Amino acid sequence: MSRQALGKGLGALLQQTREMVENPAPLAGGENTVAKIAVSKIVPNRFQPRRVFNDEKLAELAQSIKEHGLTQPIVVVYDAGLDKYEIVVGERRFRASQLAGLTEIEAIIHKHLDDKQMCALALIENIQREDLNPIETALGYKSLMNKFDVTQTDLASYCGKSKAAVSNALRLLELPAEIQQALQDGTITEGHGKALLMVADPAKQAALFARLQKNKLSVRQAEDAARALMAPAGKPVKAAKPVEVVSFENELQTALGTKVEIKCGKNVKKGTLVIHYNSLDELDVIAGRLKK
């Protein structure tokens, strides 16, 4: 399937699902039905990108469900092999319904969703609601790119995000496991993670991570500390460059295998891109990579 066709298909799928959720009535032709299903017959989405469910917020939602009922049905697909209904959209509502003591729950039963569609819907629903932590979002992007064989640019378009946002999110997966866990726990923010990515040396990166946790550094303080760590000894630290620009420089350097500089002023919309090379052979290699 071409990327263009995929984009159209994914967009249509998302629109159809939104209509199903907003207007929970059987669609023409009987492809989808609305029914009450025993909670014991429902299983989570295998592709659910969310790994952390806030217990306090689940308890609040469960209390609301006890008082007012479930105001919006979940969306499921029937798995004949398991004789179970797998959640497509609404796992948080499902978990809260369990906490509320419900034995059955209203659901829209969709008959025609494959694994890729389920993966896409689970990710995009959470991203659009901004419910995921930075690492969950990054892992979701990576999974969606692998399953759909799409580029970062395509994915950004599908999810309504900028290319830089997707790229920066994916780079967080380059961080050590301990730092990724801190991002999942919420003890540091995505901005802190980007600042840590500015430090290439693992030992210095670990030291900065410990420092920002101990001293509760702001994102700006963490960025300034990262620049100071990476500055050559005896040289003054250059004026702060936006972390997004530094992040993009690092990404280009990795992709091209050479030093890359982005020179810009306060207005990052304009600037100069400098790509370094040390021989004609290296220039030829860089040119080949740029053409791809």
Side-chain angles (χ1 to χ4, degrees), residues 92-113:
R92 183 169 168 269
R93 277 169 278 150
F94 168 69
R95 287 175 179 248
S97 297
Q98 286 181 304
L99 284 176
L102 272 60
T103 57
E104 58 181 14
I105 185 173
E106 190 173 59
I108 300 167
I109 305 171
H110 200 302
K111 295 182 179 180
H112 304 291
L113 289 176

Side-chain angles (χ1 to χ4, degrees), residues 3-273:
R3 288 185 176 125
Q4 184 179 10
L6 173 63
K8 291 179 179 178
L10 185 55
L13 173 64
L14 293 174
Q15 180 59 35
Q16 181 189 46
T17 301
R18 289 192 194 98
E19 291 172 356
M20 289 162 56
V21 172
E22 292 169 2
N23 182 26
L27 299 183
E31 288 187 0
N32 309 291
T33 57
V34 181
K36 286 194 173 182
I37 303 173
V39 168
S40 60
K41 296 280 288 183
I42 299 173
V43 296
N45 188 328
R46 290 163 289 155
F47 307 107
Q48 169 62 260
R50 191 196 326 225
R51 287 162 168 72
V52 179
F53 288 83
N54 185 293
D55 292 338
E56 184 177 344
K57 290 184 178 179
L58 276 180
E60 291 175 358
L61 181 56
Q63 184 60 38
S64 175
I65 290 172
K66 284 181 181 179
E67 295 177 3
H68 308 291
L70 187 65
T71 58
Q72 188 180 61
I74 66 172
V75 180
V76 299
V77 62
Y78 180 63
D79 187 324
L82 296 175
D83 190 26
K84 297 280 187 179
Y85 295 89
E86 186 172 3
I87 297 172
V88 179
V89 174
E91 185 166 337
R92 183 169 168 269
R93 277 169 278 150
F94 168 69
R95 287 175 179 248
S97 297
Q98 286 181 304
L99 284 176
L102 272 60
T103 57
E104 58 181 14
I105 185 173
E106 190 173 59
I108 300 167
I109 305 171
H110 200 302
K111 295 182 179 180
H112 304 291
L113 289 176
D114 60 26
D115 286 355
K116 289 182 177 180
Q117 292 170 322
M118 291 185 66
C119 175
L121 283 170
L123 172 64
I124 294 173
E125 184 216 15
N126 280 290
I127 288 175
Q128 289 175 338
R129 295 187 178 190
E130 298 184 346
D131 282 338
L132 302 180
N133 66 54
I135 296 301
E136 289 173 333
T137 298
L139 289 171
Y141 284 152
K142 185 177 180 180
S143 176
L144 201 55
M145 288 174 66
N146 290 342
K147 290 182 182 296
F148 281 90
D149 187 28
V150 295
T151 66
Q152 291 183 20
T153 301
D154 292 333
L155 183 59
S157 176
Y158 302 154
C159 297
K161 302 289 183 178
S162 68
K163 164 67 165 55
V166 172
S167 176
N168 288 331
L170 288 167
R171 290 196 66 238
L172 294 174
L173 299 179
E174 300 171 13
L175 291 167
E178 182 183 11
I179 299 178
Q180 289 191 36
Q181 188 61 54
L183 284 164
Q184 294 194 69
D185 296 340
T187 55
I188 65 172
T189 68
E190 183 174 359
H192 289 113
K194 292 176 182 176
L196 288 164
L197 282 167
M198 295 165 60
V199 183
D201 182 86
K204 290 182 179 179
Q205 186 184 73
L208 177 57
F209 174 55
R211 178 182 166 191
L212 71 86
Q213 285 193 304
K214 179 181 179 181
N215 299 326
K216 307 295 183 185
L217 299 184
S218 68
V219 171
R220 182 61 182 269
Q221 289 172 327
E223 292 173 0
D224 290 342
R227 293 186 186 97
L229 281 173
M230 298 309 293
K235 289 190 177 181
V237 180
K238 292 182 179 180
K241 184 183 291 185
V243 66
E244 291 81 5
V245 174
V246 175
S247 214
F248 194 51
E249 276 183 341
N250 292 336
E251 183 183 350
L252 283 174
Q253 287 179 164
T254 300
L256 299 177
T258 189
K259 181 180 178 181
V260 173
E261 293 179 276
I262 297 176
K263 300 179 180 179
C264 60
K266 292 183 179 180
N267 180 9
V268 296
K269 293 182 179 180
K270 294 182 179 181
T272 304
L273 173 65

